[in-house]
Amino acid sequence: MIVDCAIYRDGHRTEGPEDLSDALAAARAYGNAFVWIGLHEPSEREFDLVTDEFGLHELAVEDALKAHQRPKLEVYDDSLFAVLKPVTYEPDSDTVSSGELMIFLGDCFVVTVRHGEGAPLKSVRDRLEKDPDMMRLGPTAVLYAIADATVDHYLEVATELQTDLEELEAEVFSPDDGGSRHTASRIYTFKRQIQEFRRATGPLSVPLHRLAGAGAAGPAVPFVDDKAHPFFRDVNDHLTRVNESVESLDRLVSDVLSAHLAQMSVRQNDDMRKISSWAAMAAVPTMIAGIYGMNFEHMPELHWLWAYPAVIAIMVVLEVLLFRLFKRRGWL
């Protein structure tokens, strides 16, 4: 479905024809103008009209309809195709979910296709409409603003994940909850959230390097105004910070998992030492009682007057000695 369709002339939104073909023709006739069409999860039939009017490449159209793409940047004859993966953080469930945002960029048109609920298009459009100077860059301004908003939200999500990790560390190293049987599953679930986040941020580095300009990043990208290269370099710097944070989070959560498993192993060893100590203490009187329970006829101690209290006393003394020995060594 078409969410919004507008013509922007000289940095300002103007009223234009409702027909897509007429809107594109009007934008080209104005000169310094472009048309921006926003769609949300369109069907193949709904998207056919846009495809025909703007001459979008069939492979890019297929990617836009099916979604489930990695962040990328592809150049076709008449348009530029970019894929971003906006992410959302759910504080109630501490989960990260990602949507998809496809952008078709042409000489005087922008077509955005949104899948999911995480794309910041409404706020981006409102912000751009309040900044005519940026809007005068044309379709490039839209691509930059969307990329900038997406990466800025990455930074917010990274901060939230860092807070969750600190809480998880506190739980793991807590003397009360560190041995909880559910802690390992929580750590693994948190690691899965980081991997979901990484799938959105990691592949985006290459497209932003290309958009930032020529040179080491590769040849200049068509349909992108050269004046926007510094802006894309700034977005790329922010993305680099995000990727460094993701790498740091992934290493830390792996260390937390290793520390938790080590703690569990130590606690199990402590439990085994306690069990072994009590078993050793129980074995001593059992052994003595077993010897005197054999009922041999010729056992001189059986006929002594003080044999029974003497054996009981020996048992008590041995038990006390063993208890103090194990206690001193920290086994009890």
Side-chain angles (χ1 to χ4, degrees):
M1 57 177 292
I2 296 179
V3 178
D4 198 355
C5 177
I7 296 177
Y8 295 89
R9 182 182 181 185
D10 195 29
H12 297 278
R13 181 169 181 149
T14 62
E15 296 297 331
E18 296 182 359
D19 183 80
L20 296 182
S21 180
D22 295 339
L24 181 59
R28 286 173 174 165
Y30 289 150
N32 187 21
F34 69 95
V35 58
W36 180 2
I37 298 176
L39 302 98
H40 179 237
E41 298 182 357
S43 65
E44 184 175 355
R45 182 178 179 181
E46 292 171 336
F47 204 54
D48 283 342
L49 179 60
V50 178
T51 302
D52 295 338
E53 295 297 339
F54 293 93
L56 306 179
H57 197 279
E58 59 182 4
L59 294 178
V61 170
E62 181 181 359
D63 290 345
L65 289 174
K66 292 185 178 180
H68 304 294
Q69 304 294 316
R70 299 173 75 247
K72 61 181 180 179
L73 182 68
E74 295 180 349
V75 179
Y76 296 99
D77 293 336
D78 299 323
S79 63
L80 182 71
F81 179 61
V83 178
L84 303 177
K85 292 182 73 70
V87 298
T88 55
Y89 176 81
E90 300 294 339
D92 296 334
S93 56
D94 295 337
T95 57
V96 174
S97 59
S98 61
E100 290 190 40
L101 182 58
M102 287 75 172
I103 306 169
F104 295 88
L105 212 69
D107 56 346
C108 58
F109 69 86
V110 179
V111 178
T112 54
V113 182
R114 178 165 58 94
H115 292 268
E117 301 297 332
L121 289 184
K122 181 64 170 62
S123 59
V124 168
R125 190 185 288 264
D126 293 341
R127 188 179 69 183
L128 280 175
E129 290 179 353
K130 296 176 182 178
D131 189 359
D133 292 336
M134 177 61 69
M135 250 334 194
R136 290 189 181 95
L137 291 176
T140 302
V142 178
L143 179 60
Y144 157 71
I146 294 175
D148 184 52
T150 300
V151 173
D152 284 346
H153 193 59
Y154 287 166
L155 290 170
E156 297 175 6
V157 173
T159 302
E160 294 288 348
L161 290 175
Q162 181 65 44
T163 302
D164 288 345
L165 180 59
E166 292 173 358
E167 295 175 356
L168 195 58
E169 286 179 327
E171 177 181 337
V172 168
F173 293 104
S174 170
D176 298 328
D177 300 330
S180 172
R181 65 180 65 182
H182 302 295
T183 303
S185 62
R186 282 198 59 196
I187 297 174
Y188 181 75
T189 301
F190 186 77
K191 192 173 182 67
R192 289 289 300 270
Q193 305 308 314
I194 295 177
Q195 293 302 319
E196 179 71 19
F197 192 27
R198 173 182 283 175
R199 280 193 290 269
T201 63
L204 188 57
S205 295
V206 175
L208 283 181
H209 272 296
R210 293 183 62 188
L211 292 169
V221 179
F223 308 108
V224 175
D225 195 318
D226 293 342
K227 297 178 181 178
H229 289 165
F231 297 100
F232 284 112
R233 282 196 291 270
D234 180 67
V235 177
N236 190 44
D237 289 340
H238 291 173
L239 181 64
T240 301
R241 289 173 51 196
V242 172
N243 285 328
E244 290 175 351
S245 297
V246 172
E247 292 295 332
S248 177
L249 286 171
D250 188 57
R251 289 194 300 268
L252 285 174
V253 75
S254 297
D255 293 342
V256 169
L257 179 59
S258 299
H260 172 67
L261 295 177
Q263 279 187 331
M264 293 295 292
S265 178
V266 169
R267 295 190 180 193
Q268 288 177 352
N269 289 337
D270 289 341
D271 293 340
M272 289 301 299
R273 284 189 298 183
K274 290 179 181 180
I275 294 173
S276 300
S277 299
W278 287 111
M281 293 174 61
V284 171
T286 302
M287 179 187 67
I288 296 175
I291 292 174
Y292 285 96
M294 292 186 292
N295 294 324
F296 289 129
E297 182 177 355
H298 301 289
M299 293 182 69
E301 294 87 353
L302 296 178
H303 303 289
W304 291 355
L305 178 64
W306 299 100
Y308 176 74
V311 169
I312 296 298
I314 291 173
M315 290 183 180
V316 172
V317 171
L318 291 176
E319 290 295 297
V320 171
L321 291 176
L322 287 174
F323 180 82
R324 294 185 62 182
L325 175 64
F326 293 147
K327 193 73 172 178
R328 186 180 299 114
R329 294 186 176 182
W331 290 17
L332 291 175

